[in-house]
Amino acid sequence: MKTKLTLILSLLISFLSAKAQLYFSRTDTVLVQTISGTTLANPWAGGLNFLQVSDIDLNYDGIMDLFVFDRTGNKVSTFINGGTANTVDYKYDASYRDKFPKMSSWVLLRDYNCDGKMDIFTHTSLGIRVFINDGDAVNGLHFTLVKPVVYSYYIDTSPPSNYLNLYVMSSDIPAIYDVDDDGDLDILTFDFAGSRMQFNKNFSLENYGTCDSLNYFMLVDECFGDFEENFSSNAVTLDVCGPTDHISPVPENNNNRNARHAGSCTLCADLDGDNIRDLLIGDISFNNITFLKNGGTLQSADIVAQHTDFPTYSTSVNSPLFPCAFYVDVNNDQVRDLLVSPNSNTCSISDKSLWWYKNTNTDDSAYFAFQQVNFLQNDMVEVGEGAYPAFVDFNNDGLMDVIIGNYGYPNTGCVYTSKMTALKNIGTPTQPKFELFSKDFASMGALNLQNLVPTFGDLDNDGDVDMVVGASDGRMYYYQNTAAAGLPANYTLNPTFFSGMLFGQFCAPQLFDINRDNKLDLVIGRSNGKLNYYKNIGSSNNPQFSVDSANYNFGNINVTSINVSNGFSYPCVFEYNGHYEMFVGSASGRIYRFTDIDNNLNGTFTLVDSVFQNLYEGERCAPALYDLNNDSKLDMLVGNYSGGVSLFMGDTFDAIHNMGNTGYEPQISLFPNPSNEELYIETDNFMKLQDIKVEVFNLQGQIIYSKTYVAGTPCVVNTSSFKAGTYFCNLSGNMFVKCAKFVVKH
């Protein structure tokens, strides 16, 4: 067995050494400042849109850090808390986010086993699944799946019956809290009709004497708080439930009442100092949060009052569509504050989507004083929804600047208008530093377009750099640089240049002389995941493009993932070691790498990497390359649909010593373990995005099972024919090998 694993590792190192000369390291040392001179704390944190926030001690130093989950691309962001008293003191650290398993829709971190470490409650197609936090200060952050599905008893009989999955819609966020103050975590969620709240009590302490079991939930109250949400608003009607409504029934069919449920989120906490748990509720179709005062007891909730403009004594929540509330101490004063963010996955003021209310009173008798609408976001490069970076020296000072297009900012009625953000390089040729120069570069916001993707090049061969911008409607816009020699760019729209031409929805252009004839051509990404190539058929100073000469399946590339309708390709052609290569960003967040482009423009390019360097910066990623610090290594910006950008500097990859420095540690869970009939292999976000080879070895080192699973498909091994005993499961993919032990019992 040892010999086999040694051989695998040796082959892996050889593989990496041969492939990974082009390598990037994430950086947070390149500074960005506002026009007023304030330095952003986390400029390259990657943007935020539709958020859920929990606290967790990520590095086991005794200080609670911050975990942020974005419904946009199911993206995790992790922030280390410096712990300065009475101060917001967070530093973005992406190395922790890859320790989390693949999660979707909603995530809440709660300590269910009372060990002081936050565990994971998250969505599964059947409701809720749970991962235990079994890491420590020595071995680092780690999670293991302990409950693939949480079940609850739905009839209060003796013995209990109808042990069914505790279902939570993907659009909902339940309340996971010790509702009855008995020492274990309970679960509140809306019923299938979406108007009444159900109380699933945790009987861990009653049955086992400890808080660490997830095996015995019971629906003890089908109408918790004696209220019902209205159909036309997110206000509630009080005193509507009869005595029998509180008896735990079999879950109702959606037809039993007028179903209205599309999405609700619930925060449960004592907010008024009476030791009884109150509720804050947000709904998907509304922009406010409703406070429900609990006037009952710990054992029998009774909502006696409501405020739909919470907090009434401060700036009320007014966040476009589906605001959800989270209770965490963010300023190190030992009192939990209120954070509010939209969760609709559309129509958010997405550069102002995390509202902070400071709690100026006590933890169990809160007074929320409004502070800001862009908590964390004000310290990062944040351009709304979507971020598509491009390099250009727009002020002609010899330092490369950055222009970032976006999908847009929503206006009244959720109509988006795109603008472009400019970062001016105010550093030196070897040490870049950026300043926010403009939030509406070239005044493109006036055109009322969506999804602006810029590219730059001297298209008319007059010695300065012109601009071409693609938009969601499939049209492109040519801005000629009319500035005099040596002066900052002056971009003037030429309305006739691309007149009548359509380039495909969500066209993402790149100007590049890809056929090496000293004229800039166009490579264009599209929403269908493919690329167009338009050869420049004009002269060096009179560019011309024609639909008749276009290649609409350039390189036979398609970055659309399985079961996804749109691929959203974003091309980035570059020269490396004298040859052309191409990165292609995608809707899935993968960065694809292609070679064999030279002298093969009508052929099929070679896919050498479908998840480049295992980077995942969020969905609809868009890479851009340039040597920013003049060290002869390309550097890379990656934009994403959360509206931010991440910066990676060119680096030297040592396959042996740098394996742990990529910020990526593959994580897998095997269950059930011991196995009888089937072994399920649950992989993390990044392993899900690539093909995975699964090999099973016995203790003699013999391979008894081998299969390659296509990206996105379930990994299930039939163990019914395996002899009882111990086995090793080896998973290998692009730039990783992971081995885990499991047992078979029959």
Side-chain angles (χ1 to χ4, degrees):
M1 179 65 186
K2 181 178 179 181
T3 302
K4 178 67 179 178
L5 292 179
T6 301
L7 176 61
I8 290 172
L9 183 58
S10 299
L11 291 173
L12 173 68
I13 292 172
S14 298
F15 171 75
L16 292 175
S17 298
K19 286 190 62 177
Q21 296 92 345
L22 184 64
Y23 181 72
F24 301 92
S25 293
R26 186 188 301 275
T27 184
D28 60 2
T29 60
V30 176
L31 302 180
V32 179
Q33 67 183 37
T34 64
I35 296 175
S36 63
T38 302
T39 299
L40 301 182
N42 301 296
W44 313 111
L48 302 170
N49 279 352
F50 311 104
L51 312 171
Q52 300 149 29
V53 183
S54 299
D55 52 5
I56 177 176
D57 186 0
L58 293 166
N59 53 2
Y60 303 101
D61 65 350
I63 301 173
M64 297 304 282
D65 308 303
L66 208 61
F67 165 92
V68 181
F69 181 79
D70 195 337
R71 282 190 190 261
T72 303
N74 297 316
K75 177 186 167 188
V76 170
S77 298
T78 46
F79 297 83
I80 295 297
N81 188 353
T84 304
N86 302 304
T87 304
V88 176
D89 188 15
Y90 292 107
K91 188 66 177 177
Y92 178 68
D93 192 332
S95 66
Y96 292 94
R97 73 179 193 185
D98 299 331
K99 306 294 184 181
F100 287 85
K102 177 180 174 59
M103 302 172 291
S104 65
S105 301
W106 62 265
V107 181
L108 296 173
L109 305 187
R110 302 288 187 265
D111 178 14
Y112 83 86
N113 59 349
C114 305
D115 65 352
K117 298 184 292 189
M118 290 296 183
D119 311 299
I120 299 173
F121 289 75
T122 186
H123 172 71
T124 178
S125 59
L126 294 176
I128 303 174
R129 62 177 178 159
V130 182
F131 294 82
I132 189 173
N133 182 343
D134 52 9
D136 53 51
V138 174
N139 299 298
L141 188 66
H142 188 268
F143 298 96
T144 299
L145 182 68
V146 293
K147 201 71 176 175
V149 182
V150 173
Y151 288 84
S152 184
Y153 291 100
Y154 278 84
I155 291 184
D156 188 8
T157 60
S158 184
S161 58
N162 279 55
Y163 194 49
L164 304 174
N165 54 298
L166 203 167
Y167 185 69
V168 179
M169 290 180 60
S170 63
S171 56
D172 279 12
I173 302 178
I176 301 175
Y177 197 82
D178 185 4
V179 176
D180 52 6
D181 200 25
D182 67 350
D184 50 27
L185 290 180
D186 311 300
I187 299 177
L188 294 175
T189 186
F190 276 96
D191 63 9
F192 288 90
S195 57
R196 295 181 179 181
M197 183 160 285
Q198 297 181 331
F199 175 29
N200 290 272
K201 176 178 169 57
N202 188 345
F203 281 85
S204 180
L205 277 165
E206 289 85 348
N207 289 347
Y208 312 114
T210 65
C211 62
D212 62 358
S213 175
L214 299 169
N215 294 324
Y216 205 116
F217 287 91
M218 181 183 290
L219 177 58
V220 297
D221 193 344
E222 192 265 345
C223 191
F224 179 83
D226 202 15
F227 72 91
E228 189 172 86
E229 277 203 313
N230 298 333
F231 296 110
S232 59
S233 73
N234 63 340
V236 303
T237 302
L238 305 179
D239 303 317
V240 296
C241 304
T244 59
D245 289 322
H246 295 276
I247 300 174
S248 306
V250 178
E252 301 177 354
N253 295 324
N254 288 335
N255 296 328
N256 284 12
R257 291 199 299 272
N258 294 324
R260 66 176 291 274
H261 202 61
S264 297
C265 52
T266 305
L267 185 151
C268 177
D270 178 18
L271 298 177
D272 56 9
D274 61 1
N275 199 38
I276 309 299
R277 299 351 182 193
D278 307 300
L279 302 176
L280 294 179
I281 296 178
D283 275 312
I284 198 168
S285 300
F286 304 95
N287 60 1
N288 63 309
I289 282 182
T290 299
F291 168 72
L292 302 181
K293 176 177 173 52
N294 189 350
T297 67
L298 287 172
Q299 290 71 38
S300 179
D302 183 21
I303 302 302
V304 296
Q306 63 179 305
H307 300 290
T308 58
D309 54 351
F310 181 83
T312 56
Y313 48 80
S314 181
T315 300
S316 300
V317 171
N318 183 14
S319 177
L321 294 185
F322 203 9
C324 295
F326 306 94
Y327 206 27
V328 292
D329 175 16
V330 300
N331 63 336
N332 295 302
D333 64 355
Q334 308 307 310
V335 178
R336 285 180 292 178
D337 307 295
L338 190 71
L339 294 177
V340 178
S341 179
N343 264 262
S344 65
N345 223 11
T346 185
C347 192
S348 161
I349 302 178
S350 41
D351 61 337
K352 302 177 181 65
S353 58
L354 192 55
W355 291 30
W356 173 32
Y357 292 82
K358 180 181 177 181
N359 187 350
T360 60
N361 202 25
T362 63
D363 198 67
D364 58 358
S365 183
Y367 186 95
F368 296 122
F370 175 74
Q371 302 295 304
Q372 63 186 106
V373 297
N374 57 352
F375 182 71
L376 296 179
Q377 295 173 294
N378 65 318
D379 264 322
M380 62 180 68
V381 176
E382 167 65 82
V383 299
E385 284 186 48
Y388 317 117
F391 289 105
V392 60
D393 180 10
F394 63 75
N395 61 347
N396 207 21
D397 65 351
L399 300 176
M400 193 59 72
D401 311 303
V402 176
I403 304 296
I404 308 170
N406 72 351
Y407 177 77
Y409 304 95
N411 302 320
T412 303
C414 295
V415 176
Y416 284 78
T417 297
S418 293
K419 297 179 181 180
M420 297 197 301
T421 296
L423 302 179
K424 182 172 65 173
N425 190 342
I426 58 173
T428 69
T430 59
Q431 189 172 353
K433 177 181 178 180
F434 294 97
E435 177 186 79
L436 178 60
F437 177 77
S438 173
K439 294 285 284 186
D440 188 13
F441 186 74
S443 302
M444 289 204 67
L447 298 184
N448 293 317
L449 300 171
Q450 292 180 7
N451 209 76
L452 298 179
V453 183
T455 183
F456 297 87
D458 187 1
L459 195 56
D460 54 7
N461 198 31
D462 64 352
D464 54 31
V465 179
D466 307 300
M467 177 172 69
V468 172
V469 182
S472 62
D473 61 3
R475 303 181 188 277
M476 291 205 301
Y477 301 83
Y478 173 42
Y479 282 77
Q480 191 171 14
N481 188 350
T482 59
L487 295 180
N490 180 36
Y491 290 116
T492 303
L493 177 63
N494 183 334
T496 63
F497 188 81
F498 289 118
S499 179
M501 299 181 68
L502 292 175
F503 297 91
Q505 289 185 323
F506 291 87
C507 55
Q510 183 189 9
L511 286 168
F512 198 90
D513 180 14
I514 201 163
N515 61 354
R516 298 185 186 269
D517 66 352
N518 296 315
K519 296 179 295 183
L520 289 176
D521 309 299
L522 277 168
V523 179
I524 302 173
R526 296 145 60 195
S527 62
N528 65 3
K530 299 181 180 181
L531 300 180
N532 293 351
Y533 163 49
Y534 287 80
K535 178 182 176 182
N536 187 342
I537 59 175
S539 63
S540 60
N541 58 3
N542 184 26
Q544 294 183 30
F545 301 96
S546 170
V547 295
D548 297 328
S549 61
N551 180 343
Y552 294 103
N553 193 22
F554 190 46
N556 289 311
I557 290 173
N558 190 341
V559 296
T560 303
S561 300
I562 299 173
N563 300 323
V564 176
S565 58
N566 290 316
F568 290 107
S569 54
Y570 296 94
C572 179
V573 187
F574 59 96
E575 186 166 4
Y576 184 70
N577 287 340
H579 300 283
Y580 285 165
E581 297 192 13
M582 184 189 302
F583 285 154
V584 183
S586 65
S588 67
R590 304 186 192 193
I591 296 178
Y592 294 74
R593 182 183 180 184
F594 295 90
T595 60
D596 294 327
I597 298 173
D598 292 282
N599 303 313
N600 188 32
L601 299 185
N602 293 315
T604 298
F605 302 156
T606 299
L607 175 63
V608 297
D609 206 330
S610 60
V611 193
F612 177 73
Q613 210 174 302
N614 290 304
L615 297 177
Y616 179 78
E617 298 307 302
E619 66 182 18
R620 291 174 68 170
C621 61
L625 297 179
Y626 184 77
D627 181 6
L628 275 173
N629 56 357
N630 283 292
D631 63 354
S632 300
K633 300 184 184 74
L634 289 170
D635 308 307
M636 179 168 65
L637 280 173
V638 181
N640 65 77
Y641 203 69
S642 291
V645 288
S646 305
L647 178 59
F648 300 83
M649 304 304 287
D651 204 349
T652 300
F653 187 87
D654 180 336
I656 298 176
H657 298 102
N658 287 351
M659 191 65 179
N661 296 333
T662 63
Y664 172 65
E665 171 64 23
Q667 296 195 31
I668 64 172
S669 298
L670 307 182
F671 62 91
N673 190 4
S675 172
N676 184 6
E677 298 292 331
E678 291 182 323
L679 179 74
Y680 292 85
I681 304 172
E682 179 67 27
T683 61
D684 66 19
N685 289 9
F686 306 101
M687 295 167 74
K688 282 283 189 184
L689 296 176
Q690 57 187 289
D691 297 347
I692 297 175
K693 185 177 183 180
V694 176
E695 294 177 303
V696 176
F697 300 88
N698 59 23
L699 289 178
Q700 289 73 46
Q702 299 168 321
I703 298 178
I704 64 170
Y705 179 90
S706 179
K707 181 178 178 180
T708 298
Y709 292 83
V710 176
T713 60
C715 293
V716 183
V717 177
N718 189 332
T719 60
S720 60
S721 62
F722 294 6
K723 294 180 180 180
T726 301
Y727 296 87
F728 292 89
C729 178
N730 193 80
L731 281 74
S732 57
N734 180 54
M735 296 181 68
F736 78 86
V737 167
K738 190 76 171 178
C739 189
K741 183 172 69 173
F742 70 97
V743 175
V744 173
K745 288 185 178 180
H746 295 300

